[in-house]
Amino acid sequence: MSEDERHRSDLLYTLMDTYIKNDVLSVQESIVNHVEYTIARSRYHFDDFEAYQATAYSTRDRLIESWNDTQQYFHDQDPKRVYYLSMEFLVGRSLLNALYNLNLKGLYREALEQLGYNLEIIKERERDAALGNGGLGRLASCFLDSMATENLPAWGYGLRYQYGMFRQTIQDGFQRENPDYWLTLGNPWEIERPNVTYPVSFYGHVSAREEDGRQIFVWNPAEQVDAVAYDNPIPGYRTANTINLRLWSAKPSREFDLESFNSGDYVASILEKQNAESISSVLYPDDRTYKGKELRLKQQHFFVSATLQDILRRYTAQHGSLENFSDKVALQLNDTHPTIGIAELMRLLMDVYKWGWTASWEATTKVFSFTNHTVLPEALEQWPVELLQELLPRHMQIIYDINWRFLQELRAKFGNDQAREYRMSIIQEGDEKMVRMAHLALVASHTVNGVAEIHSELIKQTIFEDFYEMYPKKFQNKTNGVTPRRWLAFCNPPLRNLINETLGTDAWISRLDLLEGLKSHADDGEFQSRWVEVKQLAKAKLAAKIKELCGVEVSTDALFDVQVKRIHEYKRQVLNILGIIHRYDQIRNMSEEEKADVVPRVCIIGGKAAPGYELAKRIIKLISAVSQRVNNDPAVGDLLKVVFIPDYNVSLAEVIVPGSELSQHISTAGTEASGTSNMKFAMNGCLIIGTMDGANVEIAEEIGDDNIFIFGALAHEVPKLRTERADLKVDDRFAHVVRLISSGEFGYADFFTPIVDAVQGSDYYLVANDFPAYLRAQDAVDRTYKNSSIWTRMSIMSVAGCGKFSSDRTIRQYATEIWGVEPCERPRPPNAPEGY
Ligand code: C3B
């Protein structure tokens, strides 16, 4: 620092209090200032929503302090950094999470209370940031929380969609989709960076010229838009580190095609430019089905191009050149969605930084790693060559070059094996040539990982078999995890407090293995009754939510049985609803005496269907129709209630998960890569009924087979069962419940025909096959529930065995086994208040 700079910095230091102070009055001052000066309301008169906004801004001030200092520290230390590239971040709400992480919740609650506001009430006014579809997006958000908490020099990169995941309403039992314009009332958490802007190009043509004896390619794009950065601070839990989630928003280019303005219609030109914004405007709501939509590919390129330009600029600004870039940077591809970034990095290195092919390829293959999240073939992205050629002509060239070299390598290793080349080529031949994005990712990444042990094994035997043979060392497993902050400590305070008291510490919140200490209390009768009390509190909250959203009164004495996730055939909501119909049919035919022995149940189902996924939408209607029937049948009463909770999202999950006692994770074995809600439920003392699929396998291993209800065909049996499906002797009970649907017992018989046909025909997901085993497992659930002490013991053991499923563990494994990055913890400022 020069003399002048030091003088200026001293002056600024005295002008500004370094940190907001941690006393009630300072917090109130900060909130009221924001009421008056940020949202421009009168400090004498502001409502709950405005109180939320001002509180959020006040909290953000603290995050900005911490963010700035963390980034400065990263800059000074200059460690290897990791960037997590994801098209989805399912963030949910931020206020409580930030206050808890900063250890300021109590202080803010008190400060607000004295002003006449209730934190519990105003926090409900925050809109969810729903920039993701489901598991994949939520995983990305859990990872950010863990990367911050583990003090990793990490950033997330994504898109700032103006319309997040659609809002689901149920009208007459049918799903309706409504736009989620979540930014209408502003987003206090983000910081717009108009000066961090990059041009992103599309279309046009490529020309070549000689320069210093080398061929240089020049892309002359026909369209350009600007990507503007929006930063979202992500605080770690009880650390002074705050990392960044940088989201890009598309804006009309400031410079590109200025001539067109002079050439004719000024107004038309402006309107034309305005279209640029559509690139980042909407999240595609198709979960796991790829549709070859041009706009989607534009989004992907827009996202990675801005991200890579930003990363390269940051690196060169600090190091003067790109030397050692690949030793100092790791880039994680969250699924294939950002894979076009491989070609974009090659392009930037070769065409802009003038590196040769070999050096560019060496660097590219050293920085990228790739996570696969599904074995479902319909989710594997393939772009038509023709489309890529038109939209990104230079990238298409580069992909052909990569493929040409890859095929050489293939021949060198396996000789002339045309069938293999055909299978493995990045370009799929055929009537319509396609670019297989997963193959591009596999060729260019140093590591590919699955997300649970069984899944990581399966990809080696199925979709990536050939690649496993070629590059066995690239393949790894990283079992998913969830953040125990949001998904236990913050969403379930009564359970948190009980655990704290029992373990005598809250250290488990960042070292989840410590939950093991609960095991020795599992049989303690007094502890068990407190455990039950805590569950009852959460059930009461959930019951109130159900009343509010569905208008159905449910008894908290009943067993709360839950299945909440995206609606998909492979997740088998149909198996659940067939089981419910069976239960209903039994109850209505029982004598009063028999009824006295029934365990009352509330069956709760929730989840969104992709708007174009017809069958999934029919399944929602079937659930609604069954619930109509069951809930209004006087012969059933409180013994069975069925509710479909509309608009399942992160903040609803924070109420549903703690209040559940049984949760269903019943996908056909081998189809659910991991699942992460299974971990959240188990962590909250909810027992699992599930198949040997995804992370269920490891959950059973960790908490013990006795503490989980496992049923159904195993993954290795599934292929054979599918071929033998025609010979299956269908269980009478199955045939009966299916007949009830097709005979119109629940109305809409014709509308439900495709569902009936699916399970009676090829039954790809083996619903009929697993039905008897499912009913047996459900019987075991009922029997066990009658013995509260055994049930409670299982519930305690579930929580105690969940240590492995913290995303902190997952992230530490990524850091050491894939990224090669180390923690970079900012020292706590000497005069910083507790919790800073
Ligand atoms: C999901 C998978 O379906 C889940 O099993 C898995 O737990 C999560 O990813 C996180 O790994 N997934 C998703 O939500 N969207 C996709 N396109 C693919 C997988």
Side-chain angles (χ1 to χ4, degrees):
M1 221 187 269
S2 71
E3 244 343 277
D4 274 0
E5 281 170 335
R6 187 160 310 128
H7 177 72
R8 203 175 54 162
S9 138
D10 284 350
L11 175 67
L12 288 174
Y13 193 85
T14 51
L15 283 178
M16 183 181 158
D17 271 336
T18 329
Y19 305 116
I20 301 171
K21 293 185 192 62
N22 282 351
D23 58 89
V24 170
L25 197 63
S26 303
V27 170
Q28 289 171 335
E29 219 168 63
S30 149
I31 293 174
V32 173
N33 272 335
H34 279 296
V35 169
E36 185 100 13
Y37 303 129
T38 307
I39 51 181
R41 293 291 295 170
S42 155
R43 62 193 173 283
Y44 302 112
H45 188 73
F46 55 103
D47 64 16
D48 277 346
F49 179 66
E50 288 148 359
Y52 153 70
Q53 288 179 300
T55 307
Y57 280 115
S58 164
T59 309
R60 192 188 76 166
D61 289 346
R62 294 168 184 272
L63 296 177
I64 292 174
E65 290 172 348
S66 173
W67 187 98
N68 279 333
D69 294 349
T70 305
Q71 302 322 312
Q72 186 62 48
Y73 188 70
F74 288 172
H75 181 271
D76 296 345
Q77 296 295 308
D78 194 25
K80 181 174 186 183
R81 296 177 185 232
V82 57
Y83 298 106
Y84 196 83
L85 273 50
S86 179
M87 291 281 283
E88 302 189 12
F89 287 91
L90 195 39
V91 179
R93 289 177 175 154
S94 292
L95 178 58
L96 230 49
N97 187 69
L99 287 178
Y100 267 124
N101 273 5
L102 298 170
N103 203 13
L104 290 172
K105 191 201 165 210
L107 184 67
Y108 270 74
R109 185 174 33 74
E110 192 184 336
L112 281 161
E113 205 165 271
Q114 290 181 13
L115 294 173
Y117 298 85
N118 181 330
L119 180 57
E120 293 303 315
I121 292 174
I122 68 165
K123 77 156 169 57
E124 294 294 318
R125 303 304 298 268
E126 178 171 2
R127 286 278 290 267
D128 273 36
L131 309 183
N133 271 284
L136 173 146
R138 184 52 233 175
L139 184 78
S141 280
C142 283
F143 279 3
L144 289 181
D145 181 83
S146 287
M147 291 192 280
T149 300
E150 293 288 320
N151 299 306
L152 293 185
W155 274 25
Y157 274 103
L159 282 178
R160 179 180 178 272
Y161 303 107
Q162 280 172 292
Y163 295 88
M165 188 59 201
F166 68 82
R167 306 231 280 187
Q168 177 196 55
T169 54
I170 303 295
Q171 280 167 27
D172 194 23
F174 294 97
Q175 166 174 299
R176 296 274 177 269
E177 300 97 27
N178 308 291
D180 167 46
Y181 192 70
W182 67 294
L183 297 166
T184 327
L185 297 170
N187 173 12
W189 300 105
E190 66 185 8
I191 302 137
E192 187 183 0
R193 306 269 188 210
N195 57 331
V196 182
T197 297
Y198 299 94
V200 178
S201 305
F202 300 97
Y203 306 108
H205 67 276
V206 179
S207 53
R209 60 179 159 78
E210 291 282 323
E211 202 177 288
D212 302 333
R214 261 189 38 210
Q215 202 174 30
I216 296 287
F217 290 94
V218 182
W219 178 18
N220 309 287
E223 187 181 304
Q224 210 169 65
V225 301
D226 279 352
V228 180
Y230 285 74
D231 287 344
N232 298 260
I234 310 288
Y237 172 72
R238 306 242 173 127
T239 157
N241 280 29
T242 290
I243 60 169
N244 194 22
L245 168 58
R246 177 160 286 180
L247 302 176
W248 301 106
S249 186
K251 296 274 152 67
S253 155
R254 281 176 296 189
E255 275 127 45
F256 201 68
D257 35 74
L258 276 184
E259 311 89 79
S260 68
F261 280 85
N262 303 323
S263 64
D265 192 337
Y266 167 80
V267 172
S269 298
I270 295 264
L271 295 179
E272 176 80 13
K273 274 174 92 70
Q274 219 50 36
N275 279 338
E277 297 190 2
S278 68
I279 291 182
S280 60
S281 72
V282 54
L283 167 77
Y284 275 93
D286 308 88
D287 196 45
R288 269 154 286 218
T289 47
Y290 139 83
K291 300 220 175 69
K293 290 276 190 305
E294 178 170 347
L295 180 60
R296 170 77 171 176
L297 183 57
K298 271 187 135 175
Q299 287 188 338
Q300 296 184 343
H301 173 64
F302 171 78
F303 160 46
V304 297
S305 178
T307 300
L308 291 170
Q309 291 182 64
D310 195 38
I311 292 169
L312 293 176
R313 184 212 36 87
R314 180 170 311 111
Y315 192 88
T316 47
Q318 175 156 11
H319 300 93
S321 76
L322 278 182
E323 208 182 324
N324 296 331
F325 174 73
S326 58
D327 296 325
K328 305 274 290 181
V329 167
L331 302 176
Q332 185 67 35
L333 302 171
N334 195 23
D335 215 293
T336 53
H337 315 151
T339 296
I340 194 66
I342 289 165
E344 175 68 354
L345 182 58
M346 287 294 287
R347 183 187 75 82
L348 290 167
L349 293 178
M350 292 192 299
D351 299 359
V352 178
Y353 289 87
K354 305 287 153 67
W355 287 20
W357 177 277
T358 311
S360 304
W361 183 244
E362 236 173 63
T364 300
T365 50
K366 217 166 142 186
V367 294
F368 279 110
S369 48
F370 158 54
T371 305
N372 168 272
H373 293 265
T374 179
V375 294
L376 299 189
E378 63 266 33
L380 294 178
E381 289 186 299
Q382 304 189 336
W383 294 106
V385 167
E386 205 182 318
L387 173 60
L388 239 159
Q389 176 76 52
E390 191 196 340
L391 187 68
L392 303 168
R394 178 65 181 130
H395 298 71
M396 195 59 239
Q397 258 182 1
I398 292 171
I399 292 171
Y400 272 129
D401 281 353
I402 294 174
N403 197 39
W404 187 81
R405 287 171 164 84
F406 167 64
L407 293 176
Q408 300 292 310
E409 195 187 333
L410 196 63
R411 277 171 212 145
K413 192 162 167 125
F414 296 103
N416 201 352
D417 181 345
Q418 287 207 343
R420 184 187 294 269
E421 282 172 30
Y422 186 81
R423 292 196 306 270
M424 292 181 76
S425 170
I426 296 171
I427 309 296
Q428 178 178 296
E429 302 295 333
D431 288 349
E432 194 183 15
K433 277 196 190 182
M434 306 289 265
V435 180
R436 297 159 160 160
M437 299 313 268
H439 292 201
L440 178 57
L442 283 160
V443 170
S445 299
H446 58 82
T447 306
V448 49
N449 74 284
V451 290
E453 271 166 23
I454 182 177
H455 168 65
S456 298
E457 284 308 309
L458 274 171
I459 59 176
K460 295 196 274 189
Q461 295 159 19
T462 58
I463 49 173
F464 300 152
E465 188 187 10
D466 289 317
F467 284 91
Y468 178 56
E469 204 182 334
M470 178 140 177
Y471 307 118
K473 294 210 185 90
K474 281 193 184 185
F475 285 74
Q476 291 197 17
N477 172 56
K478 292 288 162 281
T479 298
N480 283 164
V482 302
T483 167
R485 270 75 64 185
R486 181 178 297 264
W487 296 112
L488 170 50
F490 305 161
C491 73
N492 199 346
L495 186 55
R496 175 190 71 221
N497 295 338
L498 178 58
I499 297 173
N500 286 349
E501 207 183 297
T502 310
L503 299 181
T505 171
D506 65 3
W508 58 272
I509 298 174
S510 47
R511 288 165 53 200
L512 205 64
D513 291 337
L514 295 177
L515 287 179
E516 215 179 335
L518 293 172
K519 282 187 184 159
S520 58
H521 302 266
D523 291 307
D524 173 346
E526 201 176 314
F527 180 67
Q528 285 196 350
S529 9
R530 296 188 63 194
W531 193 268
V532 172
E533 259 168 48
V534 161
K535 183 55 84 181
Q536 284 304 119
L537 280 176
K539 283 174 73 178
K541 256 179 89 173
L542 175 52
K545 212 15 130 194
I546 291 171
K547 175 82 191 156
E548 175 194 329
L549 297 176
C550 316
V552 178
E553 199 93 47
V554 299
S555 158
T556 52
D557 293 333
L559 190 172
F560 279 19
D561 163 346
V562 177
Q563 187 180 23
V564 281
K565 46 184 85 238
R566 288 299 289 258
I567 310 292
H568 205 294
E569 286 161 274
Y570 88 83
K571 293 178 185 283
R572 298 201 296 191
Q573 280 90 358
V574 170
L575 180 57
N576 185 2
I577 197 71
L578 293 180
I580 291 171
I581 296 173
H582 171 73
R583 180 177 291 268
Y584 166 61
D585 193 48
Q586 290 219 300
I587 293 174
R588 67 177 176 179
N589 291 313
M590 279 178 182
S591 67
E592 288 309 309
E593 208 180 337
E594 286 168 322
K595 282 185 185 170
D597 207 32
V598 171
V599 175
R601 276 218 200 196
V602 178
C603 298
I604 300 156
I605 303 177
K608 294 175 186 177
Y613 189 172
E614 261 309 310
L615 195 77
K617 293 175 116 175
R618 287 175 204 255
I619 293 171
I620 291 177
K621 174 64 186 168
L622 176 60
I623 298 164
S624 306
V626 171
S627 79
Q628 271 296 318
R629 183 69 202 265
V630 171
N631 297 350
N632 297 307
D633 189 336
V636 173
D638 264 352
L639 292 184
L640 184 61
K641 287 276 180 268
V642 182
V643 292
F644 186 89
I645 299 195
D647 203 37
Y648 177 59
N649 60 19
V650 171
S651 51
L652 264 177
E654 288 171 29
V655 179
I656 295 171
V657 169
S660 307
E661 292 173 294
L662 180 75
S663 73
Q664 307 211 23
H665 307 274
I666 57 178
S667 49
T668 315
T671 62
E672 186 69 275
S674 163
T676 43
S677 76
N678 42 6
M679 304 168 184
K680 298 168 194 166
F681 283 105
M683 230 172 246
N684 283 273
C686 169
L687 303 193
I688 288 175
I689 180 168
T691 46
M692 276 303 223
D693 201 19
N696 289 354
V697 178
E698 288 157 78
I699 294 176
E701 201 172 287
E702 293 294 310
I703 69 179
D705 297 348
D706 305 348
N707 298 313
I708 184 166
F709 301 97
I710 294 288
F711 72 95
L714 302 177
H716 72 266
E717 300 167 341
V718 166
K720 187 150 175 282
L721 286 168
R722 277 185 180 148
T723 63
E724 293 167 354
R725 173 62 181 87
D727 312 324
L728 179 77
K729 158 100 189 63
V730 173
D731 187 276
D732 289 342
R733 297 165 298 180
F734 181 80
H736 180 62
V737 294
V738 172
R739 210 175 310 120
L740 286 177
I741 299 173
S742 54
S743 68
E745 182 76 29
F746 307 101
Y748 297 88
D750 290 343
F751 189 72
F752 297 141
T753 305
I755 304 178
V756 169
D757 287 351
V759 295
Q760 277 182 335
S762 70
D763 194 18
Y764 188 73
Y765 293 106
L766 300 180
V767 177
N769 183 81
D770 279 351
F771 190 70
Y774 177 64
L775 292 188
R776 265 198 309 283
Q778 285 287 14
D779 280 346
V781 168
D782 285 322
R783 252 180 287 120
T784 312
Y785 195 75
K786 286 181 186 165
N787 187 328
S788 166
S789 167
I790 294 182
W791 183 277
T792 307
R793 179 178 200 285
M794 291 171 75
S795 165
I796 297 168
M797 293 300 283
S798 291
V799 178
C802 267
K804 175 174 174 183
F805 305 106
S806 165
S807 45
D808 299 343
R809 184 269 313 150
T810 313
I811 281 302
R812 284 195 296 269
Q813 290 181 331
Y814 274 94
T816 55
E817 296 160 24
I818 297 183
W819 303 330
V821 297
E822 282 172 4
C824 183
E825 182 176 3
R826 177 164 82 89
R828 210 162 278 273
N831 57 346
E834 158 76 10
Y836 184 75

